[in-house]
Each structure stands twice: as C-alpha cells, then as structure tokens.
Amino acid sequence: NAGVTQTPKFQVLKTGQSMTLQCAQDMNHNSMYWYRQDPGMGLRLIYYSASEGTTDKGEVPNGYNVSRLNKREFSLRLESAAPSQTSVYFCASRDQGVPQPQHFGDGTRLSIL
Amino acid sequence: AQKVTQAQTEISVVEKEDVTLDCVYETRDTTYYLFWYKQPPSGELVFLIRRNSFDEQNEISGRYSWNFQKSTSSFNFTITASQVVDSAVYFCALSGPARQLTFGSGTQLTVLP
C-alpha cells in the first residue's frame, strides 16, 4: 500500500531550468493537492484538483503549472525555476465527501541555485 | 479568508512532562473542520485527528488529548507524559470551503531525555 508517491525525492536545479514534480496516488481519491513548505511558514497551497479534469489555484500559484493527467496522477511544473522556489514540496490526496484527512507523500526537497 | 495561528514556534520539555500546543483559528464558515498533523524529523506528515465545528467534545487518545472551544476559536493539543519520540513539528489546520487546508506555521516540540 504505497499511498501517495512523489518523485523525485531530491533535486537541484539551476535558475531558469524547468522541471516537473510527479505525484501519484493509489487510493482512488478524487482530490489532489500541491503544497510547498518553507521554514516558519507551514504548508501553503499551490494548486489543487478537486476531481479529474479540474484544477484551481491555491494561495501561491505564481511560477507553477499543474496537470491532472488522470485520477491517479497530478504533476507540478516549474517552467523557469527561481531561487525563491527552493522549498520542500508535498503532494496530498483526499477522498470526497465529509472532509477526510489529506494523505501526504513524503515530499520533494528542491534546491534552486 | 481563513487563518490558523500557532503562536508557539518552539517548545522544549523534559521527558514525562505534560505539554500543550495552542491553535487559534479564524473563519467565517459556520461549518468547518480542524485537523492536527505531526511531522517527525523524517519529514512525512502524519494525520492525528479531525474535529468538526459541531462537535465540541474533548477527545482523548492514549497520551494525546484535544480541547476544542468554539467560544475562543481554539483547538489545543495536549501530550501527557511526553516522550522523546514525540519530538516533531505539529501543525494545526483548518478546512476551507473547497475543502483545501489552511495550515498554521507549526510548533517545533523537543522532548529532552
């Protein structure tokens, strides 16, 4: 039972490079989320997908794009990485209905030089 | 707009002491959900509890207990007889109208042997 799987776990990029973070869940959840975690700021929502085929902006969407490829997969793309995007990125998924807890992946630690 | 405040940035206690982590929230919704998550040094996020706005009963689970008070918009978390393994960052979170989570900035708990 993998739950939510994120790849890669670590990545170093140079400013201006592009990259896609992958997320897949095997729990048949409808909703999926991308957060970033910065020191002292908790987790902030970047984008979410309430169901397959829909995506919406969260609190900090600038500089990111997402794709809900199918029910299982939700990717996050940085088109032109900036040092301010150095962070730990978490993907999460949740079952529908009465707010169920979100299940989180183990995170991707991204450094942009 | 929703907001979650965890005013305690860091707390340090000696093993076997009791410790309370504070959480204060703001929301205009009449129905909402509150969560606590634990993030141990390994980095993953572990769901601890969910509470809905209609249920103000306190809850106890082993050494953990939660005190929800709507009148003061607080959802505090107490660990009784703390252990070294309780050392982690603890996040309080509030569900929004589209069911995405708004997180507090977290409290780093260190339990010393």
Side-chain angles (χ1 to χ4, degrees):
Chain A
N1 54 343
V4 179
T5 302
Q6 291 183 235
T7 55
K9 295 192 184 311
F10 303 94
Q11 185 70 47
V12 179
L13 294 177
K14 293 182 179 178
T15 298
Q17 287 185 316
S18 62
M19 159 140 210
T20 299
L21 307 186
Q22 307 287 354
C23 175
Q25 52 93 8
D26 61 3
M27 296 173 283
N28 202 36
H29 287 167
N30 284 313
S31 302
M32 297 186 73
Y33 307 83
W34 276 105
Y35 295 89
R36 59 178 288 172
Q37 182 179 21
D38 301 299
M41 298 189 74
L43 279 78
R44 292 181 293 167
L45 183 66
I46 305 171
Y47 271 94
Y48 66 99
S49 171
S51 61
E52 187 179 353
T54 68
T55 60
D56 286 286
K57 294 178 181 179
E59 181 185 354
V60 288
N62 291 345
Y64 305 96
N65 285 303
V66 291
S67 295
R68 184 73 183 268
L69 304 170
N70 47 56
K71 193 171 186 179
R72 288 188 65 247
E73 299 171 285
F74 188 38
S75 62
L76 178 72
R77 183 161 178 84
L78 288 69
E79 289 292 351
S80 179
S84 61
Q85 294 177 304
T86 294
S87 189
V88 180
Y89 291 84
F90 285 96
C91 177
S93 70
R94 187 184 67 80
D95 205 354
Q96 64 184 15
V98 169
Q100 299 297 320
Q102 292 185 13
H103 298 263
F104 286 84
D106 289 340
T108 295
R109 191 172 295 273
L110 183 61
S111 294
I112 298 159
L113 307 176
Chain B
Q2 301 188 92
K3 187 176 179 182
V4 176
T5 302
Q6 294 180 256
Q8 303 152 308
T9 305
E10 296 181 21
I11 300 176
S12 184
V13 299
V14 177
E15 205 169 22
K16 296 184 184 175
E17 287 184 357
D18 299 347
V19 58
T20 295
L21 310 182
D22 296 333
C23 173
V24 174
Y25 62 91
E26 296 174 29
T27 181
R28 293 180 181 175
D29 294 323
T30 54
T31 301
Y32 51 88
Y33 295 81
L34 294 159
F35 301 79
W36 275 94
Y37 283 85
K38 174 182 179 179
Q39 186 176 42
S42 50
E44 74 273 21
L45 282 149
V46 179
F47 164 71
L48 295 177
I49 191 171
R50 179 193 69 199
R51 171 66 75 224
N52 73 53
S53 53
F54 294 104
D55 183 0
E56 289 194 67
Q57 264 193 323
N58 291 336
E59 181 154 342
I60 298 174
S61 176
R63 296 185 296 107
Y64 295 171
S65 63
W66 290 269
N67 182 287
F68 175 35
Q69 292 195 336
K70 242 174 144 173
S71 60
T72 56
S73 298
S74 65
F75 186 41
N76 296 336
F77 173 30
T78 297
I79 301 174
T80 303
S82 59
Q83 300 176 1
V84 172
V85 293
D86 295 326
S87 297
V89 181
Y90 290 86
F91 290 99
C92 181
L94 170 70
S95 74
R99 309 281 165 78
Q100 68 268 33
L101 289 174
T102 298
F103 281 83
S105 55
T107 297
Q108 169 71 61
L109 173 66
T110 301
V111 181
L112 302 169

